Amino acid sequence: MNATAQETELDLVVRKRTALTPEVAELVLASAAGGELPAWEPGSHVDLILREGLVRQYSLCGDPGERDVWRLAVLRERESRGGSRHVHDELTDGSPVRVRGPRNNFPLLPAARYRFVAGGIGITPIVPMIAAAEKAGARWQLLYGGRTRRSMAFAEQLTQAYGDKVILCPEDELGRLDLDSWLAEPRDDTLVYCCGPEPLLLAAEARCAAWRAGSLRLERFVPRAAPASAEEATFEVELTVSGLTVTVPPGKSVLKAVEEAGVRVRYSCEQGTCGTCETEVVAGTPEHRDSLLDEEERAEGKTMMICVSRAACPRLVLAL
């Protein structure tokens, strides 16, 4: 994956803030001096570095061809840990904001057909994917659910642009999304892209269990529940770039052990969801605990998220 290779940090400003719904604000970010921003592809997100220790990831939901701005849509979370509250309460037109990225852990792969499933603010990465699928001439449909029609960002824009390819399901009117019907028939020519709250993602995983491996593509912004595992063991990590070997005891992450040895590593969420700390594995077998890598990537063992993943062997060798 190595999603962080081309990342940059930029000091941008909020060119315009708009209320898409009572709970969702769109931010249009631009350089104060003007000029182009780094290129991105559908599925990409960026980190907003809101203050020391407060970094949050938000999907880019605009047009990748619109090179002078980045567009984000941010939900005011009912149980905010500080990020969405800061965006809604502190960022207004002209506000400065430091941004890192873009990073793409949720790329739109080529396919003849797509089934898109979005729940709530999970629509944000799907919006540019739909435009790309349409441009490529692929056949697609979107199933989009939310608590109420009024709460569903981009709903009117999508239905006006794409008509009956977009199926809106406000829960107060129609109940929950009918994934049993939507994903009933596995198709080898179809990819399913799903983003939204964890119960929706788990339901999509269950319905796609009979589909061809790799057909379902998910993006999580909260870590998946960790399975019960045996007691953690101590292991060693050899760092090929810095020439150090560090010991990682139970209860300490590889990331923290490496940092304490004086090696600087870029990271953000510390939950295995953002991909910032993804690191090349030179030798050894990782014990993957992230919420990003798919089963094929886990089996290959070429990279790991060192903020949460550990070793399934006595010694790992990492390109750090």
Side-chain angles (χ1 to χ4, degrees):
M1 186 182 289
N2 195 23
T4 66
Q6 302 300 319
E7 288 183 27
T8 57
E9 287 195 9
L10 300 169
D11 289 310
L12 304 180
V13 297
V14 178
R15 177 180 289 181
K16 185 178 182 180
R17 171 178 158 163
T18 305
L20 298 181
T21 77
E23 298 177 334
V24 178
E26 182 186 59
L27 302 182
V28 180
L29 306 181
S31 168
E36 289 191 345
L37 300 180
W40 61 280
E41 296 179 347
S44 298
H45 68 268
V46 295
D47 297 340
L48 295 192
I49 305 172
L50 300 170
R51 63 170 184 265
E52 184 68 28
L54 186 62
V55 181
R56 295 292 184 267
Q57 294 79 43
Y58 298 107
S59 296
L60 292 167
C61 58
D63 177 358
E66 194 177 25
R67 293 295 306 278
D68 61 330
V69 298
W70 284 342
R71 296 178 184 270
L72 314 174
V74 181
L75 170 70
R76 181 189 284 274
E77 299 283 356
R78 293 181 177 183
E79 298 181 3
S80 173
R81 294 179 295 124
S84 69
R85 183 169 58 246
H86 183 102
V87 169
H88 278 260
D89 294 346
E90 304 294 334
L91 298 186
T92 59
D93 290 3
S95 293
V97 59
R98 190 159 183 80
V99 185
R100 180 168 58 219
R103 182 184 314 119
N104 197 349
N105 302 315
F106 193 40
L108 184 69
L109 303 179
R113 298 172 181 259
Y114 297 96
R115 286 260 165 155
F116 296 108
V117 183
I121 199 62
I123 191 63
T124 51
I126 301 296
V127 171
M129 288 184 177
I130 286 172
E134 182 78 5
K135 184 177 181 180
R139 300 183 66 178
W140 64 269
Q141 285 184 295
L142 166 67
L143 183 65
Y144 176 19
R147 290 184 293 105
T148 67
R149 191 175 299 270
R150 189 165 176 253
S151 73
M152 297 168 66
F154 303 110
E156 183 177 352
Q157 169 188 325
L158 290 168
T159 53
Q160 287 181 351
Y162 303 115
D164 59 7
K165 292 183 180 181
V166 175
I167 301 173
L168 302 181
C169 293
E171 186 173 347
D172 64 336
E173 299 175 26
L174 301 172
R176 296 186 177 181
L177 298 179
D178 183 6
L179 295 186
D180 288 329
S181 297
W182 191 250
L183 302 175
E185 181 185 356
R187 296 186 60 107
D188 288 344
D189 64 347
T190 301
L191 291 180
V192 179
Y193 277 79
C194 181
C195 187
E198 186 65 10
L200 174 64
L201 304 185
L202 293 174
E205 287 180 322
R207 280 22 172 231
C208 287
W211 287 57
R212 176 178 53 84
S215 296
L216 176 62
R217 319 297 296 187
L218 303 174
E219 182 166 50
R220 284 180 161 92
F221 286 104
V222 295
R224 75 173 97 200
S229 59
E231 184 176 348
E232 292 182 349
T234 297
F235 59 94
E236 289 188 335
V237 176
E238 179 184 340
L239 310 178
T240 60
V241 177
S242 56
L244 299 174
T245 298
V246 300
T247 299
V248 184
K252 181 176 289 186
S253 68
V254 175
L255 172 64
K256 291 303 180 188
V258 167
E259 275 199 315
E260 290 174 4
V263 178
R264 295 190 63 184
V265 180
R266 178 173 283 180
Y267 63 93
S268 178
C269 73
E270 297 187 75
Q271 296 181 311
T273 60
C274 74
T276 308
C277 69
E278 185 175 9
T279 300
E280 180 186 351
V281 178
V282 179
T285 304
E287 179 190 318
H288 296 291
R289 299 185 179 185
D290 65 276
S291 301
L292 279 169
L293 298 177
D294 61 30
E295 292 307 314
E296 182 178 348
E297 291 167 329
R298 288 174 177 236
E300 289 176 345
K302 293 182 178 180
T303 67
M304 64 184 288
M305 309 304 161
I306 62 173
C307 66
V308 291
S309 297
R310 299 182 66 78
C313 59
R315 188 181 184 91
L316 282 176
V317 182
L318 303 180
L320 287 173

